[in-house]
Amino acid sequence: NKSHSTCYAFVAFQTAYLKAHYPGEYMASVLTHNLSNIDKITFFMDECKRMGVPVLGPDVNESAYKFSVNKSGQIRFGMGAVKGVGEGAVNAIVEERATNGIYKNVFDFVRRVNLRAASKKTLESLAFAGGLDSFGVHRATYFYTEGNDNGNFLERIIRYGISHQEGINSSQASLFGDDSTVDMPEPKIPVCEVWSNLEQLKNEKDVVGFFISGHPLDTYKLEIENFCFHTVSDIKKIEENKNKELVFGGIITNVHNGITKTGNPWGKITIEDYNESTDLAFFGEDYVKFKQYMVTGLFLFVRGKIAERFRNSGNFEFKVNTLQLLSELRDKLARSITVNVSIKELTEEFISKVNEIINQNAEAQPRNCSLQFKVYDAEENIAVLLPAKKIKVNPNNELLNLLQTNKLDFKLN
């Protein structure tokens, strides 16, 4: 009825106004109210990116219990969204910070925070999620154990903090009015290797439920943008993509091997891209053919077709035809690099810059990728493709990083 639709229209107007004029605050509220739904959180995180509103990970020096907005208008992840971090622990961290200012370093943090409220499990979860990153100590350091029985660095600083707090609580003024508290030396920060991007993101997902600071597939973003023309969601659209060949990339997040009732081996992998995940099962010859690729953490390029099941007319499924490593995709499929340049930018400086980039790539092997330039005139709406017939390049990360650093627009073909 009219009264019902009027109320919905009014609420729609209010929310649209808030989203337009207070995007950070609005999206922080939306994220907070969907904390229990990982799929919706992922969707709204993508919406924040589309809106140009950065979503930062948790930080003990800035985060509250829920999602909040900092002074720069950026959304700060709520510490309450991290598994193993309770409301009591967050309140202890936030109240101490509000009373006595931000924490100067990790030692200042464990000296001041009530470690009965913020337990070892709390600090481990915060470290995994990046909540202690602002102290300038990389995450692997907290879990690094040196050659002794004193535990890892996080355990040692917790003991240091507990001892410091117990010393303050039990200290009494001496006969001459002096404070008898003995300052304990701060534990030495160990030196160790930084976690790989994949390991860091995996630990984030374990304590939050999804990736915060990036995605494992970001390493192969170029391959996915240029050679993977579909997504995991496309193979689920059976009616829409019947008898079509689909190609997509993803990371294997789970592997299962088993034996059928007839005694034959079979296997199943869970593969995930930026938005969704799906299971792919292999039987008989397919299992033998693809078994080498059934490894958790492997990045794969999948080519297959939605076709009828064997001996099951009218029943369609996605069948894998080939699997390749995403790391090998560029060398196998890249045939040319096209650099797009406006005719207004075609200067002596540009030519010199390109020559320098090509010379730096001269030692890379193999150089089997052709180079071409697409010179365009936006005003006249015309373009000319100019191949560099005598020049071959290797499309390695160094070359592509050089092109990006010099702000040259390019495309792999």
Side-chain angles (χ1 to χ4, degrees):
N1 57 36
K2 291 182 179 179
S3 61
H4 190 73
S5 59
T6 300
C7 293
Y8 268 113
F10 185 57
V11 172
F13 173 82
Q14 289 178 316
T15 52
Y17 179 88
L18 290 172
K19 187 175 182 180
H21 295 279
Y22 302 93
E25 290 80 358
Y26 176 80
M27 292 307 297
S29 176
V30 171
L31 287 164
T32 296
H33 283 83
N34 287 279
L35 269 180
S36 59
N37 191 322
I38 298 300
D39 291 337
K40 285 193 174 182
I41 282 284
T42 305
F43 172 80
F44 289 122
M45 294 269 280
D46 290 338
E47 175 65 6
C48 289
K49 289 180 183 178
R50 188 197 66 77
M51 294 168 61
V53 180
V55 180
L56 308 178
D59 181 9
V60 295
N61 266 332
E62 196 168 71
S63 292
Y65 182 74
K66 299 177 180 180
F67 285 86
S68 56
V69 180
N70 63 18
K71 295 177 181 178
S72 302
Q74 302 163 318
I75 296 175
R76 179 61 77 174
F77 209 88
M79 287 186 281
V82 180
K83 296 175 185 175
V85 181
E87 189 170 0
V90 176
N91 288 339
I93 293 170
V94 173
E95 287 172 10
E96 171 60 29
R97 187 180 73 205
T99 303
N100 297 308
I102 65 170
Y103 304 105
K104 298 175 183 176
N105 52 49
V106 70
F107 304 112
D108 183 45
F109 177 71
V110 295
R111 283 195 297 261
R112 290 167 51 188
V113 170
N114 182 352
L115 294 175
R116 279 184 251 179
S119 64
K120 174 187 170 184
K121 176 63 177 174
T122 296
L123 299 191
E124 283 180 341
S125 296
L126 285 172
F128 278 132
L132 307 180
D133 286 359
S134 60
F135 297 136
V137 179
H138 66 79
R139 301 179 199 182
T141 307
Y142 294 106
F143 303 94
Y144 180 72
T145 302
E146 294 181 299
N148 51 47
D149 297 327
N150 293 328
N152 60 35
F153 178 60
L154 186 62
E155 292 170 339
R156 286 189 281 123
I157 61 174
I158 290 173
R159 288 198 297 269
Y160 162 78
I162 291 172
S163 297
H164 178 84
Q165 292 178 17
E166 287 177 347
I168 291 176
N169 292 334
S170 63
S171 65
Q172 295 178 351
S174 69
L175 182 62
F176 302 101
D178 295 327
D179 191 347
S180 60
T181 303
V182 178
D183 288 333
M184 293 182 58
E186 296 175 350
K188 183 181 177 182
I189 300 176
V191 177
C192 66
E193 291 187 9
V194 179
W195 281 336
S196 66
N197 186 51
L198 183 61
E199 186 175 6
Q200 178 167 306
L201 290 170
K202 177 185 176 298
N203 290 328
E204 279 184 5
K205 189 171 184 180
D206 287 343
V207 295
V208 178
F210 52 90
F211 306 112
I212 304 173
S213 59
H215 194 283
L217 286 174
D218 288 343
T219 306
Y220 299 101
K221 192 171 184 179
L222 195 75
E223 283 81 356
I224 290 173
E225 288 177 347
N226 289 276
F227 304 118
C228 300
F229 307 116
H230 305 94
T231 63
V232 167
S233 63
D234 288 323
I235 72 174
K236 298 179 179 181
K237 301 172 184 176
I238 302 297
E239 291 297 322
E240 184 179 330
N241 294 313
K242 276 183 182 178
N243 299 313
K244 290 183 181 179
E245 184 180 69
L246 304 175
V247 289
F248 65 93
I251 178 175
I252 297 178
T253 56
N254 190 41
V255 174
H256 173 78
N257 290 285
I259 302 294
T260 65
K261 293 179 181 179
T262 57
N264 295 319
W266 74 283
K268 180 177 69 174
I269 63 172
T270 302
I271 189 164
E272 176 182 310
D273 64 5
Y274 282 101
N275 300 308
E276 286 194 52
S277 65
T278 192
D279 292 334
L280 301 175
F282 304 100
F283 301 88
E285 292 181 0
D286 285 342
Y287 177 76
V288 175
K289 181 181 177 181
F290 298 125
K291 184 180 179 182
Q292 60 180 317
Y293 295 104
M294 298 176 64
V295 179
T296 301
L298 219 56
F299 297 91
L300 292 183
F301 172 73
V302 183
R303 186 187 298 274
K305 189 176 183 180
I306 294 180
E308 284 186 328
R309 291 178 183 267
F310 181 64
R311 294 178 180 175
N312 198 339
S313 180
N315 194 345
F316 286 79
E317 67 172 350
F318 178 76
K319 180 175 173 57
V320 176
N321 294 328
T322 59
L323 292 178
Q324 288 179 265
L325 297 176
L326 274 176
S327 58
E328 298 176 352
L329 201 61
R330 199 184 305 174
D331 289 338
K332 291 181 178 179
L333 297 185
R335 296 289 176 262
S336 67
I337 295 179
T338 303
V339 179
N340 299 309
V341 55
S342 169
I343 194 168
K344 295 180 179 179
E345 298 173 357
L346 199 58
T347 61
E348 289 290 340
E349 182 183 354
F350 173 84
I351 295 171
S352 176
K353 188 185 297 182
V354 170
N355 276 326
E356 185 180 340
I357 292 171
I358 293 171
N359 290 334
Q360 290 187 44
N361 187 252
E363 301 299 322
Q365 295 293 335
R367 296 197 305 278
N368 54 6
C369 192
S370 61
L371 179 66
Q372 54 188 11
F373 297 86
K374 185 178 181 180
V375 182
Y376 62 89
D377 187 331
E379 294 178 0
E380 298 292 334
N381 196 27
I382 57 174
V384 179
L385 197 63
L386 305 173
K389 295 180 180 179
K390 296 182 180 180
I391 297 175
K392 296 285 185 180
V393 294
N394 182 298
N396 55 23
N397 288 333
E398 288 74 18
L399 173 65
L400 302 183
N401 287 337
L402 279 172
L403 292 172
Q404 289 174 335
T405 302
N406 286 279
K407 299 180 180 179
L408 300 181
D409 179 37
F410 66 90
K411 183 173 179 59
L412 278 176
N413 303 296

